[in-house]
Amino acid sequence: TSTMTAAFNGGFKLTDHVGGYYYLGRTVAPLRAGLGTFTVDRTGRLQVGAWGRDLHLDANVVVVRQNLPLAIDAGRDMTTAHDPANRWGRVLGSNPHVNRSALGELSDGGLVFGVGHEVTAHQMALALAAIGVQNAMMLDMNPLWPTAFLYRHDGSSVTGHKVAPWIRRDPSIYLTRFKKDFLVVSPRTS
């Protein structure tokens, strides 16, 4: 936590069986071809794409996380306004308007984390496509799980701030072990 400047949620629980997970040389859940995936390599570079087509396991990859098919694939929105409520993750009840999060990659390799309050997958994908996201994958969803925090360091203390007031969890959840995966953003050291 000494260099953490931001953190946000990962994907669905692995028990939901919607994607695989690889971490530091160990396959925690089997990786599936074609799913929306992000990888992190030894230099800290994160990429988003389709597993087996855009992204592959090699000696430089340290993390692979999958979650559903790509919502934006090569700049094309793969969602529709008529998708069934559970097409992009199991919603609580039948209302497709839920809190959602997504991770996207721009054509220059820049990354975008999106978090939305009571939106459909299609609304989330349209917002990401509007800013030029080329590949995007949905991450976690529903009331409690989409989170995004910024952290400020003052000496030995760390203070977290929610990026949106409707986020239900406290920023301190990522300062220690948490029951679900999450991503940490830290400044790059040469």
Side-chain angles (χ1 to χ4, degrees):
T1 63
S2 64
T3 62
M4 182 169 66
T5 58
F8 56 91
N9 62 275
F12 299 155
K13 291 180 182 177
L14 295 178
T15 55
D16 290 335
H17 306 289
V18 293
Y21 183 50
Y22 171 90
Y23 183 73
L24 296 177
R26 181 173 167 248
T27 300
V28 178
L31 302 172
R32 294 176 36 206
L35 286 184
T37 303
F38 73 76
T39 61
V40 180
D41 70 18
R42 294 189 187 286
T43 69
R45 181 177 181 216
L46 192 148
Q47 294 180 280
V48 179
W51 187 251
R53 184 193 71 196
D54 307 319
L55 304 171
H56 305 85
L57 191 59
D58 63 36
N60 289 320
V61 173
V62 294
V63 176
V64 179
R65 183 64 158 100
Q66 298 182 310
N67 206 53
L68 303 173
L70 288 173
I72 299 176
D73 190 351
R76 288 184 29 240
D77 179 1
M78 306 307 289
T79 69
T80 74
H82 306 291
D83 285 336
N86 291 316
R87 167 69 177 96
W88 295 99
R90 191 174 64 229
V91 298
L92 302 177
S94 60
N95 185 354
H97 293 84
V98 298
N99 297 349
R100 295 180 185 272
S101 59
L103 183 63
E105 185 173 350
L106 302 165
S107 59
D108 67 0
L111 299 171
V112 174
F113 173 75
V115 61
H117 180 58
E118 296 181 2
V119 297
T120 66
H122 186 56
Q123 290 168 324
M124 176 70 80
L126 287 175
L128 293 170
I131 59 170
V133 167
Q134 294 300 299
N135 289 326
M137 62 185 284
M138 294 294 175
L139 294 177
D140 217 340
M141 58 185 274
N142 286 316
L144 293 176
W145 303 117
T147 57
F149 308 113
L150 299 174
Y151 295 93
R152 189 177 78 229
H153 300 264
D154 293 318
S156 62
S157 70
V158 179
T159 306
H161 304 278
K162 298 175 183 183
V163 300
W166 53 263
I167 292 173
R168 291 193 181 179
R169 298 215 179 251
D170 188 88
S172 65
I173 63 169
Y174 296 145
L175 297 178
T176 58
R177 294 179 64 105
F178 187 62
K179 62 183 170 183
K180 293 187 74 173
D181 66 317
F182 59 96
L183 287 91
V184 170
V185 178
S186 296
R188 183 179 295 251
T189 57
S190 16

PDB file of all heavy atoms in Angstrom, residues 40-62:
ATOM      1  N   VAL A  40      -1.433  -8.803 -17.283  1.00  0.00           N
ATOM      2  CA  VAL A  40      -0.431  -7.903 -16.735  1.00  0.00           C
ATOM      3  C   VAL A  40       0.905  -8.605 -16.926  1.00  0.00           C
ATOM      4  O   VAL A  40       1.057  -9.776 -16.561  1.00  0.00           O
ATOM      5  CB  VAL A  40      -0.666  -7.605 -15.242  1.00  0.00           C
ATOM      6  CG1 VAL A  40       0.398  -6.652 -14.705  1.00  0.00           C
ATOM      7  CG2 VAL A  40      -2.065  -7.054 -15.009  1.00  0.00           C
ATOM      8  N   ASP A  41       1.880  -7.878 -17.517  1.00  0.00           N
ATOM      9  CA  ASP A  41       3.191  -8.500 -17.730  1.00  0.00           C
ATOM     10  C   ASP A  41       4.175  -8.063 -16.652  1.00  0.00           C
ATOM     11  O   ASP A  41       3.838  -7.293 -15.754  1.00  0.00           O
ATOM     12  CB  ASP A  41       3.715  -8.234 -19.145  1.00  0.00           C
ATOM     13  CG  ASP A  41       4.108  -6.797 -19.398  1.00  0.00           C
ATOM     14  OD1 ASP A  41       4.310  -6.016 -18.441  1.00  0.00           O
ATOM     15  OD2 ASP A  41       4.238  -6.437 -20.586  1.00  0.00           O
ATOM     16  N   ARG A  42       5.387  -8.554 -16.742  1.00  0.00           N
ATOM     17  CA  ARG A  42       6.404  -8.294 -15.715  1.00  0.00           C
ATOM     18  C   ARG A  42       6.751  -6.814 -15.565  1.00  0.00           C
ATOM     19  O   ARG A  42       7.225  -6.395 -14.523  1.00  0.00           O
ATOM     20  CB  ARG A  42       7.674  -9.091 -16.017  1.00  0.00           C
ATOM     21  CG  ARG A  42       7.465 -10.577 -15.900  1.00  0.00           C
ATOM     22  CD  ARG A  42       8.767 -11.354 -15.990  1.00  0.00           C
ATOM     23  NE  ARG A  42       8.512 -12.780 -16.036  1.00  0.00           N
ATOM     24  CZ  ARG A  42       8.129 -13.507 -15.006  1.00  0.00           C
ATOM     25  NH1 ARG A  42       7.962 -12.957 -13.829  1.00  0.00           N
ATOM     26  NH2 ARG A  42       7.911 -14.799 -15.140  1.00  0.00           N
ATOM     27  N   THR A  43       6.515  -6.012 -16.593  1.00  0.00           N
ATOM     28  CA  THR A  43       6.806  -4.577 -16.505  1.00  0.00           C
ATOM     29  C   THR A  43       5.633  -3.796 -15.919  1.00  0.00           C
ATOM     30  O   THR A  43       5.724  -2.591 -15.727  1.00  0.00           O
ATOM     31  CB  THR A  43       7.145  -3.988 -17.888  1.00  0.00           C
ATOM     32  OG1 THR A  43       5.961  -3.992 -18.702  1.00  0.00           O
ATOM     33  CG2 THR A  43       8.262  -4.760 -18.565  1.00  0.00           C
ATOM     34  N   GLY A  44       4.487  -4.469 -15.676  1.00  0.00           N
ATOM     35  CA  GLY A  44       3.302  -3.805 -15.157  1.00  0.00           C
ATOM     36  C   GLY A  44       2.339  -3.367 -16.239  1.00  0.00           C
ATOM     37  O   GLY A  44       1.293  -2.795 -15.950  1.00  0.00           O
ATOM     38  N   ARG A  45       2.663  -3.656 -17.497  1.00  0.00           N
ATOM     39  CA  ARG A  45       1.772  -3.276 -18.600  1.00  0.00           C
ATOM     40  C   ARG A  45       0.525  -4.150 -18.586  1.00  0.00           C
ATOM     41  O   ARG A  45       0.601  -5.367 -18.511  1.00  0.00           O
ATOM     42  CB  ARG A  45       2.485  -3.433 -19.939  1.00  0.00           C
ATOM     43  CG  ARG A  45       1.613  -3.038 -21.107  1.00  0.00           C
ATOM     44  CD  ARG A  45       2.364  -3.130 -22.405  1.00  0.00           C
ATOM     45  NE  ARG A  45       1.486  -2.718 -23.499  1.00  0.00           N
ATOM     46  CZ  ARG A  45       1.510  -3.266 -24.686  1.00  0.00           C
ATOM     47  NH1 ARG A  45       2.371  -4.220 -24.963  1.00  0.00           N
ATOM     48  NH2 ARG A  45       0.680  -2.855 -25.606  1.00  0.00           N
ATOM     49  N   LEU A  46      -0.614  -3.503 -18.663  1.00  0.00           N
ATOM     50  CA  LEU A  46      -1.897  -4.196 -18.692  1.00  0.00           C
ATOM     51  C   LEU A  46      -2.484  -4.065 -20.092  1.00  0.00           C
ATOM     52  O   LEU A  46      -2.443  -2.991 -20.678  1.00  0.00           O
ATOM     53  CB  LEU A  46      -2.833  -3.579 -17.653  1.00  0.00           C
ATOM     54  CG  LEU A  46      -4.104  -4.341 -17.339  1.00  0.00           C
ATOM     55  CD1 LEU A  46      -4.501  -4.131 -15.893  1.00  0.00           C
ATOM     56  CD2 LEU A  46      -5.245  -3.912 -18.233  1.00  0.00           C
ATOM     57  N   GLN A  47      -3.001  -5.159 -20.628  1.00  0.00           N
ATOM     58  CA  GLN A  47      -3.652  -5.171 -21.938  1.00  0.00           C
ATOM     59  C   GLN A  47      -5.009  -5.836 -21.825  1.00  0.00           C
ATOM     60  O   GLN A  47      -5.210  -6.719 -20.989  1.00  0.00           O
ATOM     61  CB  GLN A  47      -2.806  -5.937 -22.961  1.00  0.00           C
ATOM     62  CG  GLN A  47      -1.495  -5.268 -23.285  1.00  0.00           C
ATOM     63  CD  GLN A  47      -0.731  -6.094 -24.315  1.00  0.00           C
ATOM     64  OE1 GLN A  47      -0.092  -7.079 -23.965  1.00  0.00           O
ATOM     65  NE2 GLN A  47      -0.812  -5.686 -25.566  1.00  0.00           N
ATOM     66  N   VAL A  48      -5.946  -5.438 -22.700  1.00  0.00           N
ATOM     67  CA  VAL A  48      -7.287  -6.009 -22.736  1.00  0.00           C
ATOM     68  C   VAL A  48      -7.532  -6.544 -24.136  1.00  0.00           C
ATOM     69  O   VAL A  48      -7.235  -5.876 -25.133  1.00  0.00           O
ATOM     70  CB  VAL A  48      -8.351  -4.935 -22.405  1.00  0.00           C
ATOM     71  CG1 VAL A  48      -9.758  -5.529 -22.476  1.00  0.00           C
ATOM     72  CG2 VAL A  48      -8.102  -4.326 -21.032  1.00  0.00           C
ATOM     73  N   GLY A  49      -8.070  -7.760 -24.230  1.00  0.00           N
ATOM     74  CA  GLY A  49      -8.378  -8.343 -25.534  1.00  0.00           C
ATOM     75  C   GLY A  49      -9.061  -9.684 -25.387  1.00  0.00           C
ATOM     76  O   GLY A  49      -9.494 -10.064 -24.288  1.00  0.00           O
ATOM     77  N   ALA A  50      -9.168 -10.394 -26.496  1.00  0.00           N
ATOM     78  CA  ALA A  50      -9.756 -11.739 -26.497  1.00  0.00           C
ATOM     79  C   ALA A  50      -8.638 -12.758 -26.307  1.00  0.00           C
ATOM     80  O   ALA A  50      -7.620 -12.706 -27.003  1.00  0.00           O
ATOM     81  CB  ALA A  50     -10.497 -11.998 -27.804  1.00  0.00           C
ATOM     82  N   TRP A  51      -8.849 -13.678 -25.371  1.00  0.00           N
ATOM     83  CA  TRP A  51      -7.850 -14.699 -25.083  1.00  0.00           C
ATOM     84  C   TRP A  51      -7.705 -15.652 -26.265  1.00  0.00           C
ATOM     85  O   TRP A  51      -8.683 -16.112 -26.832  1.00  0.00           O
ATOM     86  CB  TRP A  51      -8.232 -15.479 -23.832  1.00  0.00           C
ATOM     87  CG  TRP A  51      -7.150 -16.416 -23.403  1.00  0.00           C
ATOM     88  CD1 TRP A  51      -7.165 -17.773 -23.477  1.00  0.00           C
ATOM     89  CD2 TRP A  51      -5.888 -16.051 -22.862  1.00  0.00           C
ATOM     90  NE1 TRP A  51      -5.991 -18.284 -23.007  1.00  0.00           N
ATOM     91  CE2 TRP A  51      -5.177 -17.234 -22.618  1.00  0.00           C
ATOM     92  CE3 TRP A  51      -5.272 -14.828 -22.564  1.00  0.00           C
ATOM     93  CZ2 TRP A  51      -3.892 -17.254 -22.082  1.00  0.00           C
ATOM     94  CZ3 TRP A  51      -3.999 -14.850 -22.016  1.00  0.00           C
ATOM     95  CH2 TRP A  51      -3.329 -16.046 -21.786  1.00  0.00           C
ATOM     96  N   GLY A  52      -6.465 -15.920 -26.655  1.00  0.00           N
ATOM     97  CA  GLY A  52      -6.191 -16.832 -27.757  1.00  0.00           C
ATOM     98  C   GLY A  52      -6.104 -16.129 -29.096  1.00  0.00           C
ATOM     99  O   GLY A  52      -5.533 -16.659 -30.039  1.00  0.00           O
ATOM    100  N   ARG A  53      -6.665 -14.941 -29.203  1.00  0.00           N
ATOM    101  CA  ARG A  53      -6.580 -14.155 -30.437  1.00  0.00           C
ATOM    102  C   ARG A  53      -5.648 -12.965 -30.232  1.00  0.00           C
ATOM    103  O   ARG A  53      -4.675 -12.807 -30.949  1.00  0.00           O
ATOM    104  CB  ARG A  53      -7.965 -13.673 -30.859  1.00  0.00           C
ATOM    105  CG  ARG A  53      -7.964 -12.913 -32.195  1.00  0.00           C
ATOM    106  CD  ARG A  53      -9.252 -12.189 -32.453  1.00  0.00           C
ATOM    107  NE  ARG A  53      -9.378 -11.047 -31.549  1.00  0.00           N
ATOM    108  CZ  ARG A  53     -10.509 -10.398 -31.321  1.00  0.00           C
ATOM    109  NH1 ARG A  53     -11.635 -10.802 -31.889  1.00  0.00           N
ATOM    110  NH2 ARG A  53     -10.537  -9.376 -30.507  1.00  0.00           N
ATOM    111  N   ASP A  54      -5.954 -12.123 -29.245  1.00  0.00           N
ATOM    112  CA  ASP A  54      -5.157 -10.923 -28.982  1.00  0.00           C
ATOM    113  C   ASP A  54      -4.104 -11.157 -27.902  1.00  0.00           C
ATOM    114  O   ASP A  54      -3.045 -10.538 -27.927  1.00  0.00           O
ATOM    115  CB  ASP A  54      -6.052  -9.773 -28.497  1.00  0.00           C
ATOM    116  CG  ASP A  54      -7.218  -9.502 -29.422  1.00  0.00           C
ATOM    117  OD1 ASP A  54      -7.024  -9.530 -30.647  1.00  0.00           O
ATOM    118  OD2 ASP A  54      -8.338  -9.265 -28.908  1.00  0.00           O
ATOM    119  N   LEU A  55      -4.434 -11.984 -26.950  1.00  0.00           N
ATOM    120  CA  LEU A  55      -3.580 -12.204 -25.783  1.00  0.00           C
ATOM    121  C   LEU A  55      -3.270 -13.685 -25.622  1.00  0.00           C
ATOM    122  O   LEU A  55      -4.144 -14.531 -25.847  1.00  0.00           O
ATOM    123  CB  LEU A  55      -4.274 -11.677 -24.522  1.00  0.00           C
ATOM    124  CG  LEU A  55      -4.702 -10.207 -24.554  1.00  0.00           C
ATOM    125  CD1 LEU A  55      -5.575  -9.879 -23.348  1.00  0.00           C
ATOM    126  CD2 LEU A  55      -3.500  -9.294 -24.614  1.00  0.00           C
ATOM    127  N   HIS A  56      -2.028 -13.966 -25.204  1.00  0.00           N
ATOM    128  CA  HIS A  56      -1.566 -15.344 -25.031  1.00  0.00           C
ATOM    129  C   HIS A  56      -0.664 -15.417 -23.807  1.00  0.00           C
ATOM    130  O   HIS A  56      -0.070 -14.417 -23.412  1.00  0.00           O
ATOM    131  CB  HIS A  56      -0.780 -15.810 -26.257  1.00  0.00           C
ATOM    132  CG  HIS A  56      -1.528 -15.678 -27.540  1.00  0.00           C
ATOM    133  ND1 HIS A  56      -1.559 -14.509 -28.268  1.00  0.00           N
ATOM    134  CD2 HIS A  56      -2.294 -16.559 -28.206  1.00  0.00           C
ATOM    135  CE1 HIS A  56      -2.300 -14.680 -29.337  1.00  0.00           C
ATOM    136  NE2 HIS A  56      -2.768 -15.905 -29.327  1.00  0.00           N
ATOM    137  N   LEU A  57      -0.524 -16.606 -23.284  1.00  0.00           N
ATOM    138  CA  LEU A  57       0.357 -16.817 -22.143  1.00  0.00           C
ATOM    139  C   LEU A  57       1.781 -16.999 -22.645  1.00  0.00           C
ATOM    140  O   LEU A  57       2.037 -17.819 -23.531  1.00  0.00           O
ATOM    141  CB  LEU A  57      -0.099 -18.053 -21.360  1.00  0.00           C
ATOM    142  CG  LEU A  57       0.538 -18.264 -20.000  1.00  0.00           C
ATOM    143  CD1 LEU A  57       0.271 -17.075 -19.083  1.00  0.00           C
ATOM    144  CD2 LEU A  57      -0.002 -19.536 -19.366  1.00  0.00           C
ATOM    145  N   ASP A  58       2.694 -16.205 -22.108  1.00  0.00           N
ATOM    146  CA  ASP A  58       4.110 -16.390 -22.395  1.00  0.00           C
ATOM    147  C   ASP A  58       4.895 -16.107 -21.117  1.00  0.00           C
ATOM    148  O   ASP A  58       4.312 -15.807 -20.075  1.00  0.00           O
ATOM    149  CB  ASP A  58       4.579 -15.523 -23.570  1.00  0.00           C
ATOM    150  CG  ASP A  58       4.468 -14.029 -23.323  1.00  0.00           C
ATOM    151  OD1 ASP A  58       4.690 -13.583 -22.177  1.00  0.00           O
ATOM    152  OD2 ASP A  58       4.167 -13.293 -24.275  1.00  0.00           O
ATOM    153  N   ALA A  59       6.211 -16.184 -21.182  1.00  0.00           N
ATOM    154  CA  ALA A  59       7.054 -16.059 -19.991  1.00  0.00           C
ATOM    155  C   ALA A  59       6.956 -14.686 -19.330  1.00  0.00           C
ATOM    156  O   ALA A  59       7.281 -14.551 -18.149  1.00  0.00           O
ATOM    157  CB  ALA A  59       8.506 -16.366 -20.352  1.00  0.00           C
ATOM    158  N   ASN A  60       6.512 -13.651 -20.051  1.00  0.00           N
ATOM    159  CA  ASN A  60       6.418 -12.309 -19.480  1.00  0.00           C
ATOM    160  C   ASN A  60       5.102 -12.046 -18.752  1.00  0.00           C
ATOM    161  O   ASN A  60       4.998 -11.072 -18.009  1.00  0.00           O
ATOM    162  CB  ASN A  60       6.601 -11.251 -20.578  1.00  0.00           C
ATOM    163  CG  ASN A  60       8.028 -11.214 -21.057  1.00  0.00           C
ATOM    164  OD1 ASN A  60       8.952 -11.316 -20.263  1.00  0.00           O
ATOM    165  ND2 ASN A  60       8.211 -11.111 -22.356  1.00  0.00           N
ATOM    166  N   VAL A  61       4.086 -12.870 -18.973  1.00  0.00           N
ATOM    167  CA  VAL A  61       2.768 -12.649 -18.378  1.00  0.00           C
ATOM    168  C   VAL A  61       2.760 -13.156 -16.934  1.00  0.00           C
ATOM    169  O   VAL A  61       3.126 -14.292 -16.666  1.00  0.00           O
ATOM    170  CB  VAL A  61       1.662 -13.342 -19.203  1.00  0.00           C
ATOM    171  CG1 VAL A  61       0.317 -13.255 -18.502  1.00  0.00           C
ATOM    172  CG2 VAL A  61       1.584 -12.721 -20.588  1.00  0.00           C
ATOM    173  N   VAL A  62       2.314 -12.290 -16.010  1.00  0.00           N
ATOM    174  CA  VAL A  62       2.234 -12.688 -14.599  1.00  0.00           C
ATOM    175  C   VAL A  62       0.792 -12.823 -14.109  1.00  0.00           C
ATOM    176  O   VAL A  62       0.535 -13.533 -13.148  1.00  0.00           O
ATOM    177  CB  VAL A  62       3.029 -11.732 -13.679  1.00  0.00           C
ATOM    178  CG1 VAL A  62       4.517 -11.827 -13.974  1.00  0.00           C
ATOM    179  CG2 VAL A  62       2.555 -10.306 -13.801  1.00  0.00           C
TER     180      VAL A  62
END
